[in-house]
Amino acid sequence: MTLSTISALSPLDGRYAGRLAPLRPLMSEQGYMHKRVQVEVCWFIALSDAGFSEFKPLTPGARTYLLGLVKNFSEVDALAIKEIEKTTNHDVKAVEYWIKSKFEARPELKNAGEFVHFACTSEDINNTSHALQLKGARDQVMLPALDAVIVKLRQMAHAHAAVPMLSRTHGQTASPTTVGKEIANVVVRLAAAREKIAGVALLGKMNGAVGNYNAHLAAWPDFDWEAFSRKVIETPEPLGLGLTFQPYSIQIEPHDYMAELFDAVARANTILIDWSRDIWGYISLGYFKQRLREGEIGSSTMPHKVNPIDFENAEGNLGLANALLRHLSEKLPISRWQRDLTDSTVLRNMGVALGYAALAYHSMGIGLGKLELNEEALAADLDASWEVLAEPIQTVMRRFGVQGAYEKLKEVTRGKVVRAQDLHALIRSLEIPQPEKDRLLAMTPASYVGKATELAQRA
């Protein structure tokens, strides 16, 4: 069978392949190889500038050529590395040999070839490459996609800030709010979660087989390898990696920052699962309509249906993402002694975890773009729920010392169909100042929204 989008085992590379095109160059195996080449080249160039008599500074032409290997890295290059790996059966060594093969026609580089991967353990290259992958995925794909959802939700919160809506705590009629305020709640939560994702420092280490610079100091005992490693890791790209230096590690970088990042993404996803379910319910109640797409079918047997499929797809894919993200965050910080390989295969699924999240953000954006507010349904629901005014009436009664205020309203309203005239009769009988009676008599379910409008506009 020929591998194609229709034969792919994962829907991320099959049914949804087109939606994940921006993530693929960063989180695929080719993306991983690309970052490995970047790390090896940065380390090699930095060594040439370290002041060692055995490795003179590279000429400008050699530097340009080396950076070009990174900038112009292609699928052809990745396949060439895979071909070398068939012999080495070691993916990092294959990258080293591929880089050295590019030195053949350049005597300056060929003579310095043994400084490729100098004093490095494979994990020096891998951990920094993973950090670079996550840096690209976070900054170029995940945050922009999440920002687009936040922007759309904020626009909706402001547009519908003053549109009253019946709340439904425990699924029952409750004190009114506004559509915009309920969306604003999501905006504020999601924006906070977004900042947590953006704020995670991405760490890298280049300190050898067990984190002690053993091989480095064997070669040059008097050189400050820790300062050199920090410089390579923290110098901005392209001459450095633009990461945060990790001073303490075993053979692997401990992956605690990865757990922090994946937990932060999962937290944002959980907020969106919550919202997906809420908006699904509001569509079911008729509070929102969905704009129709020409030719789209909601049910194979029920022609009338317009299903909230985008929010259902988002919820499902967010759940898949979180299942993977939580496994990553629980497993990756654990390694037997100085090194075991259980993290290696798991790390290859970072793109899958982020891919399901990115797919969900895309579906969420499509779904939000289809929504149309049904103010008639919102108004009808409020007008049929006068019992929600039991709260303000009994609260005003308490203010003026009316005994048993809560109990009196409970007797009149609980489990009963409450009409406006029933409440008005009660209000007129109260021993409270007339201006307060007039204020309560003027109140409707639609006007009893507190500061909801103001709060929505501030989000």
Side-chain angles (χ1 to χ4, degrees):
M1 181 181 289
T2 303
L3 182 63
S4 67
T5 55
I6 203 69
S7 64
L9 188 61
S10 166
L12 297 181
D13 291 320
R15 184 178 184 89
Y16 306 121
R19 297 183 184 182
L20 295 170
L23 195 61
R24 200 165 285 111
L26 298 163
M27 299 305 296
S28 63
E29 186 169 11
Q30 179 179 325
Y32 190 20
M33 290 180 179
H34 184 196
K35 297 308 180 187
R36 283 165 157 169
V37 171
Q38 180 181 347
V39 174
E40 294 277 16
V41 165
C42 281
W43 186 254
F44 183 78
I45 293 174
L47 285 170
S48 82
D49 291 330
F52 303 137
S53 59
E54 295 86 349
F55 190 8
K56 302 297 184 183
L58 294 166
T59 63
R63 293 167 191 267
T64 300
Y65 175 76
L66 287 167
L67 293 174
L69 294 179
V70 179
K71 182 179 181 180
N72 302 317
F73 190 83
S74 68
E75 184 178 353
V76 172
D77 297 322
L79 290 171
I81 293 172
K82 289 296 288 184
E83 192 64 30
I84 297 171
E85 189 185 340
K86 290 179 182 178
T87 301
T88 63
N89 197 31
H90 194 289
D91 47 1
V92 177
K93 207 65 180 174
V95 171
E96 177 188 342
Y97 287 171
W98 178 82
I99 292 172
K100 287 180 177 178
S101 75
K102 296 296 181 179
F103 291 0
E104 288 298 322
R106 291 180 167 266
E108 177 188 0
L109 294 175
K110 187 175 182 180
N111 291 337
E114 289 308 308
F115 285 98
V116 176
H117 200 71
F118 182 82
C120 291
T121 184
S122 296
E123 268 304 296
D124 287 339
I125 309 305
N126 288 345
N127 88 95
T128 45
S129 295
H130 285 134
L132 288 170
Q133 284 185 285
L134 291 172
K135 180 182 177 183
R138 179 180 69 176
D139 297 349
Q140 298 174 40
V141 179
M142 305 306 293
L143 288 180
L146 202 52
D147 287 341
V149 173
I150 294 170
V151 166
K152 178 60 179 175
L153 287 171
R154 184 174 281 114
Q155 290 172 346
M156 293 174 63
H158 293 171
H160 307 317
V163 178
M165 181 183 92
L166 187 67
S167 295
R168 291 181 177 271
T169 61
H170 305 279
Q172 310 300 310
T173 57
S175 301
T177 180
T178 70
V179 175
K181 170 54 170 46
E182 295 313 293
I183 299 174
N185 294 336
V186 183
V187 171
V188 172
R189 293 175 67 197
L190 201 56
R194 186 256 186 228
E195 291 309 305
K196 294 291 186 184
I197 296 170
V200 176
L202 307 181
L203 274 58
K205 72 97 185 177
M206 297 190 78
N207 52 16
V210 293
N212 302 328
Y213 305 95
N214 303 44
H216 308 68
L217 290 168
W220 276 283
D222 300 322
F223 187 72
D224 190 346
W225 283 105
E226 185 175 15
F228 177 79
S229 177
R230 179 188 291 272
K231 183 178 180 182
V232 173
I233 287 168
E234 295 192 340
T235 296
E237 298 180 74
L239 293 178
L241 304 180
L243 303 172
T244 298
F245 180 65
Q246 168 63 279
Y248 285 89
S249 79
I250 49 177
Q251 185 173 117
I252 64 170
E253 197 285 324
H255 302 326
D256 294 324
Y257 87 84
M258 288 186 175
E260 184 182 356
L261 177 64
F262 297 145
D263 284 343
V265 175
R267 194 173 306 118
N269 292 349
T270 298
I271 293 166
L272 285 175
I273 290 173
D274 190 28
W275 168 243
S276 296
R277 293 177 180 176
D278 277 1
I279 196 65
W280 186 97
Y282 292 142
I283 292 169
S284 178
L285 290 171
Y287 289 0
F288 287 93
K289 300 176 183 178
Q290 297 178 97
R291 276 191 289 274
L292 302 177
R293 290 171 57 185
E294 187 66 32
E296 187 173 74
I297 293 172
S299 167
S300 61
T301 60
M302 294 175 280
H304 68 282
K305 295 191 76 179
V306 183
N307 296 331
I309 57 172
D310 300 299
F311 300 106
E312 292 170 338
N313 285 345
E315 181 183 344
N317 286 311
L318 289 164
L320 278 168
N322 279 8
L324 287 166
L325 289 167
R326 287 186 177 121
H327 177 67
L328 288 167
S329 66
E330 290 171 5
K331 186 272 156 294
L332 290 176
I334 300 171
S335 180
R336 293 175 182 87
W337 294 340
Q338 287 74 40
R339 177 72 169 118
D340 72 45
L341 275 175
T342 54
D343 68 324
S344 181
T345 189
V346 172
L347 283 164
R348 293 181 184 275
N349 290 277
M350 294 190 302
V352 180
L354 296 179
Y356 278 115
L359 179 61
Y361 303 161
H362 183 273
S363 296
M364 178 66 68
I366 292 175
L368 293 173
K370 290 181 182 178
L371 293 179
E372 290 181 348
L373 196 63
N374 184 355
E375 294 196 45
E376 293 82 4
L378 288 158
D381 222 11
L382 284 163
D383 198 45
S385 304
W386 281 80
E387 66 272 14
V388 299
L389 295 187
E391 180 186 49
I393 295 169
Q394 63 95 10
T395 305
V396 172
M397 290 167 67
R398 283 170 176 250
R399 173 189 168 186
F400 291 101
V402 177
Q403 296 299 308
Y406 178 89
E407 289 72 20
K408 288 179 181 179
L409 267 297
K410 176 181 174 183
E411 182 180 340
V412 172
T413 61
R414 195 177 194 202
K416 299 178 181 179
V417 176
V418 179
R419 301 170 301 172
Q421 51 265 43
D422 298 326
L423 292 179
H424 289 171
L426 175 64
I427 292 167
R428 291 188 180 98
S429 71
L430 296 176
E431 294 182 3
I432 61 175
Q434 189 59 43
E436 296 302 323
K437 287 185 181 182
D438 294 340
R439 189 165 63 85
L440 289 175
L441 288 168
M443 189 178 291
T444 68
S447 69
Y448 180 53
V449 295
K451 290 182 62 151
T453 299
E454 178 190 337
L455 290 168
Q457 290 169 339
R458 286 207 318 247

